Amino acid sequence: MRRVLGVVGLLLLWEGLAAWGLLNPLYAPPPHQVLLTLYGLFQSGEILPHLQATFTAALLGLFWGVLLGGSLGLLAAFSPLFADMLEPIMLLLNAIPRVILAPLFVIWLGIGLASKVALSLVLVSVLLFFAVYGGVRNVDPRLVERVETLGGGRLWLLKEVYLPSLAAWVLSSLKVAVGFAFTGAVVGEFVAASRGLGYLLSFAQSTYNAKLSLALITLIVLFVLLLFFLFDRLERHLLRWRPRGRAESQA
Amino acid sequence: MLRVENLTLGYGGVPVLEGVSLGVGEGEFVSLVGPSGSGKSTLLRAVAGLVRPRAGAIHRAFPPEALGFLFQEDALLPWRTARENAALGLRIRGWPKAKALEEAEAWLLRLGLQGLGDRYPHELSGGQRKRVALAQVLALRPRLLLMDEPFSSLDAILRTGVTRDLLRLVEGEGIAVLLVTHDLEEALALSDRVYLLSQGPRARIAKEYAVPFSRPRDPVGVRSDPRFGPLLRRLWQDLEEVALCAAS
């Protein structure tokens, strides 16, 4: 509740300063104007193809990135050979700001959807790789021993111990991954595109349109918050076995 | 049904245990006691097949599936309910899910956990978790149960309750038990035979005691038997002697 109050307070202050003429509306248009612009974008329907482009890129990048990063993480966790080969590459990719790859992807894959998906995918998969790789290493060895003494082989270990124990790690990084997926898509569009929210943002910048810029930022924030909320519900459902206190303190 | 002959255990250097021989008969309750560092747990893990012996042999007159384990940590899967945890061993043995859960529920009942099958481990008390772990093992109908300080994390009251239920089921099903414990009283109250290990390294069997109390037995009531006190005193003296020998 207090967090909501903070945001509302900031917006009211902003609105007030603008009304008193202390803020230049060209640079910092008051919130109500941003909302009107946003409303206008939907009213005219001109936002829809852009929205669709960004969403497609972000969700495809998220999906394939989770799949790729997750499976590479599992491979590395269970095979020392893969671990030795993959870890340096991933560490390198993790160390650099991965958005600098955006221009390269445009050269390789063109200005269409593929280069945005690729950037999203790289951002997400490195994150997931480390979540899964680290998650497997943090599995409780007593549980492994228990399943083994009951006669369970690798498949049982994976199903009963590794995957559920990973779920906790992966689900919390999934929320971060959602943000990353949108970063990838929008930055990709920012660099070179003919459609998408990132393209609109770069258009707003070149026409000095702060109102449009803020409207788009608001839109992206709202969508990411929505996805956050959905993943939170999923997390609560999948991790219902966790003690209440811990689940709440993490939420 | 279990014979351990001239067993030597340990990694590199001086062995923890050397030339240990012991046996467990059909349906017999046997305890291993000894000072800390006598390699009791290592011995149990060797019988379980988790540790490779350096010398000697372990003969088992039963298939490996007939061996059940209960170690100090309860290690229930936190993401599975009590019933699912109890059914885990059966599921691994290839039972269909519905049948395994039904059988697991029956064992939960036998261990006094009616109505708790749907709870997750964190919603159970320490004693209840131990009972679930016990149900998980007993559901597999072992012929020999290996236990390493299984109830040491419980307080005295809970411990007595779980131990009493364990003894009732083990006697009823004719399951043989090899128990590692540091509690001499518990060893006497439960066992038919007690082995005392000497101080390690190079620990060996120092003494063997036949426990005369009849079965079925009440692990609390048996302590007021007139033969209980003297036997316990002898066990204590021998244990102290063994520990002192090593110190000098």
Side-chain angles (χ1 to χ4, degrees), chain B residues 3-194:
Chain B
R3 235 162 5 97
V4 172
E5 276 174 4
N6 257 319
L7 198 69
T8 300
L9 296 171
Y11 312 93
V14 188
V16 185
L17 245 110
E18 199 171 42
V20 169
S21 299
L22 57 83
V24 181
E26 201 75 42
E28 196 184 18
F29 200 123
V30 176
S31 290
L32 274 172
V33 297
S36 328
S38 58
K40 306 183 291 273
S41 299
T42 317
L43 178 54
L44 202 68
R45 296 173 80 83
V47 174
L50 297 170
V51 173
R52 212 167 250 289
R54 257 162 76 171
I58 298 167
H59 302 286
R60 289 187 297 217
F62 51 86
E65 306 92 76
L67 205 54
F69 308 91
L70 198 63
F71 292 158
Q72 197 162 353
E73 295 101 13
D74 43 42
L76 294 175
L77 298 173
W79 36 82
R80 295 272 179 243
T81 61
R83 188 182 302 114
E84 287 165 341
N85 264 297
L88 181 62
L90 295 170
R91 299 272 295 125
I92 290 175
R93 298 250 165 117
W95 284 47
K97 193 169 182 177
K99 239 183 113 198
L101 287 175
E102 210 176 290
E103 176 78 1
E105 182 67 29
W107 279 100
L108 291 181
L109 284 182
R110 252 164 261 178
L111 283 154
L113 295 172
Q114 49 270 61
L116 300 179
D118 289 319
R119 298 242 184 127
Y120 288 99
H122 81 265
E123 297 168 321
L124 298 170
S125 70
Q128 290 166 339
R129 282 203 290 268
K130 284 292 177 202
R131 286 166 187 269
V132 175
L134 205 51
Q136 186 185 55
V137 175
L138 291 178
L140 297 174
R141 303 201 167 270
R143 292 181 52 208
L144 174 62
L145 191 55
L146 303 177
M147 296 196 288
D148 186 357
E149 310 262 9
F151 310 126
S152 59
S153 59
L154 301 181
D155 67 52
I157 296 173
L158 285 175
R159 190 172 172 152
T160 310
V162 182
T163 313
R164 185 180 272 155
D165 283 355
L166 168 75
L167 200 61
R168 180 171 51 79
L169 288 168
V170 160
E171 282 172 350
E173 307 277 324
I175 302 168
V177 178
L178 184 57
L179 170 74
V180 162
T181 180
H182 62 257
D183 183 340
L184 299 184
E185 239 181 286
E186 182 180 72
L188 276 187
L190 297 177
S191 313
D192 301 305
R193 221 134 44 78
V194 176

Side-chain angles (χ1 to χ4, degrees), chain A residues 181-194:
Chain A
F182 275 87
T183 308
V186 172
V187 170
E189 290 161 356
F190 212 87
V191 171
S194 53

Side-chain angles (χ1 to χ4, degrees), chain A residues 23 35 49 61 70-71 83 88 102 123 129 146 156 169-170 173 175 237:
Chain A
L23 282 175
L35 285 180
S71 20
L123 284 174
F129 173 83
R146 189 75 205 141
W156 282 103
W169 284 72
V170 170
S173 54
K175 283 195 273 185
H237 174 71

Side-chain angles (χ1 to χ4, degrees), chain A residues 18-39:
Chain A
W20 281 23
L22 291 171
L23 282 175
N24 185 342
L26 185 64
Y27 294 120
H32 81 269
Q33 282 202 25
V34 172
L35 285 180
L36 281 177
T37 313
L38 195 58
Y39 179 70

Side-chain angles (χ1 to χ4, degrees), chain A residues 178-249:
Chain A
V178 172
F180 273 29
F182 275 87
T183 308
V186 172
V187 170
E189 290 161 356
F190 212 87
V191 171
S194 53
R195 281 196 316 151
L197 297 177
Y199 164 77
L200 272 189
L201 269 172
S202 113
F203 171 78
Q205 180 214 328
S206 60
T207 53
Y208 255 68
N209 192 341
K211 219 160 39 176
L212 179 59
S213 210
L214 280 168
L216 290 168
I217 290 170
T218 311
L219 189 60
I220 294 170
V221 166
L222 287 179
F223 275 119
V224 170
L225 282 181
L226 177 71
L227 282 172
F228 251 60
F229 172 74
L230 291 178
F231 274 109
D232 209 50
R233 292 289 296 270
L234 183 71
E235 191 175 347
R236 267 162 201 270
H237 174 71
L238 286 176
L239 302 184
R240 62 190 180 285
W241 52 266
R242 266 218 290 230
R244 277 258 172 256
R246 248 173 84 198
E248 266 164 20
S249 67

